[in-house]
Amino acid sequence: MPETRASVCPHDCPSTCALEVEVLDQRTIGTVRGADNPYTAGVICNKVMRYAERVHHPDRVLHPMLRDGPKGGGLFRRITWDEALDRIIAGFTEAAARHGSEAVWPYSSAGTMGLVNRDGVFRLRHAMRWSGRKGTICTAIAAAGWTAGCGRITGTDPREMALADLNVLWGTNPVSTQVNVMAHVTRARKERGAKLVVIDPYRTGSAAAADMHLALRPGTDAALACAVMHCAFRDGQADRAYMERYTDDPVALEAHLATRGPEWAAAITGLTAEAIEAFAALYNGTPRAYIRVGFGFTRGRNGAASMHAVTCLPAVTGKWRHEGAGALWSNRGIYPWDKSLIEGTGWRDPAIRELDMSRIASILTGDAEALQGGPPVHALLVQSGNPASVCPDSNRVREGLLREDLFTVVHEQFMTETARYADILLPATTFLEHDDIYQAGGHSHVQIGRRLIEPPGEARSNHDLVCALAARLGLDDPSFRMSGLELADATLRATGYPGAEEMTERRWLDVQPPFERAHFLDGFGHPDGRFRFRADWRALGDTEGKLPPLPDWVPLVDMATDERPMRLVAAPARQFLNSTFTETPNARKREGRPQALVAPEDAARYGIADGALMRLGNARGEVVLHARHVPGQTAGTVVVESIWPAAAFGGAGHGINVLTSDEPALPAGGAVFHDTAVWMRAEEAVALAAE
């Protein structure tokens, strides 16, 4: 008989939704729904609602396989797990013997957000002294910007969005990426008549639902924030008593912002001074104003400075005092996890290098700076990631993966672009086929997800692979002999949370800090307890002093030029999550095809008809895709949603990330996906020129 069982969405989304999964038999699921969790509130995205398509997809990798043809050709033959493990140990051991242990690099990402299966590979790498992985690709820039001002990564309870009189979605498109945010925003609009403002370079689904959409130029968010603060000081709406008690240098800030008013910001952002004034009056004049800060506007070379400037707004106006006000980027700082068992932190040697995951293109192609002066990577283990598609400068990523002296192991659910370059390809479980524990970034619940169905074929979890490799490498620590559930249970208890069985009964544990803590009324996370208008970027890694000490716009971005006049934003799509879900039929049908969203005036300038093929390019590469005219889009900006597989692009294209740079952002690294200058042409014109 079918039964409904509890689970947790494992995907790289701050919502970490509580789920109700229909289990039809030991190997089959049916419908997936949102659970009645206080944050999820029964609402989940279409991607996960259709998860049966993914779990039972006929193209799942089911058995260990050995490359049987040229690298990148995607040709494999089936082998046993024993043979696969023997070959992996031989390859990794040989690389370490010839070049040192740091020549082996476990490259893991956020294909699952479960702590056991995402982070367990760190335990193996620490024990073996393999190269570490600096996790910069998603949050590093935003985290630096938030920490510069607030000092700790927490914020207003996201459920307070429903209590706001104004919600500002800054650099985020929750209609596509965090549907629960929109549920709480909608409640505020219905129950309180709350206004919604969206700040984003293009008309997203969230922007289309807003009362006000500020479509500014990419990378200019700090200028808008500075102008809003200028207006607050000018119009007597700055909360001087709050700043005196809780901030570091409001006098210097006011003097600094005296010349950074709406006219100044209009010239930088492309917005009108009138629009900036209107937003400033609305935000500064609304005590219950909640800013839900996203990732999008931080994924540029000046992204950390932009984040810092935005976090200054509720400090200048004293919004933190009020329920339904303040700001939130992530709640990840509220969890006091003891992950020593999962990560093997006792074995960690700080002298072992940590390679920047965002710079895998430079690392695999031998860049000495990216390699930190150490040996080239000769053995690569990829778990929960698809760097050939997802990472910047993907032409060079593939160039590195094609090296004959690189032994590559990929543990995957599908034949991704990265999997095609594997020497050994291993079948991986989905979250419904293993046990794990989860925290959220977008809310405050710890959750447990139990194994609901049997894995297909010979699929093994990340945890089980780590333990199997450890056994063959002679690592006899108990953590390598524990089941995933046992490791989860021990970690929960070490942290002070209920054990796995109690968590299974409870389903979730709300660890939201009290109001005073979440609103920083007990002090910000710096030693003096004050919010810092004057950011100490050097302490965060900017040794060159390029980021502004006080909130400001700095032209560090890949500026448009005569040769590359368009600025590219590589934004998420509604039906995909990075490169995940691109294999499911309904998701692909709903997304249609790769498209470049362009303003009609830009399309007219380059002779690109609506729906016609066009080409985007720069020194790193070129892609061919179809144009879609979008009235009202910011001129000079081209938007390409999602990370489609290379095969979905025509012509010379290999996917949108051939255009993005792996240059590290300040202050301490991070991928600059939304900071790319490109040229744009009609594809027919290119073809004629070639003839």
Side-chain angles (χ1 to χ4, degrees), residues 181-266:
V181 167
M182 293 306 292
H184 294 288
V185 166
T186 299
R187 181 181 161 196
R189 299 177 91 178
K190 287 181 177 178
E191 296 180 3
R192 305 181 60 85
K195 300 294 185 183
L196 173 63
V197 175
V198 172
I199 300 170
D200 201 290
Y202 78 111
R203 193 165 179 78
T204 64
S206 303
D211 299 291
M212 179 186 296
H213 173 210
L214 298 175
L216 73 181
R217 292 173 181 143
T220 63
D221 301 79
L224 174 60
C226 287
V228 173
M229 289 186 281
H230 167 98
C231 292
F233 283 112
R234 182 197 68 191
D235 300 338
Q237 292 175 313
D239 191 332
R240 297 183 184 277
Y242 177 89
M243 286 189 287
E244 178 67 25
R245 179 176 177 183
Y246 286 103
T247 70
D248 64 341
D249 200 350
V251 174
L253 177 67
E254 183 174 8
H256 167 71
L257 294 174
T259 58
R260 286 160 174 78
E263 293 288 349
W264 168 83

Side-chain angles (χ1 to χ4, degrees), residues 33-46:
R33 299 182 179 88
D36 191 22
N37 169 278
Y39 183 77
T40 304
V43 178
I44 63 171
C45 67
N46 287 330

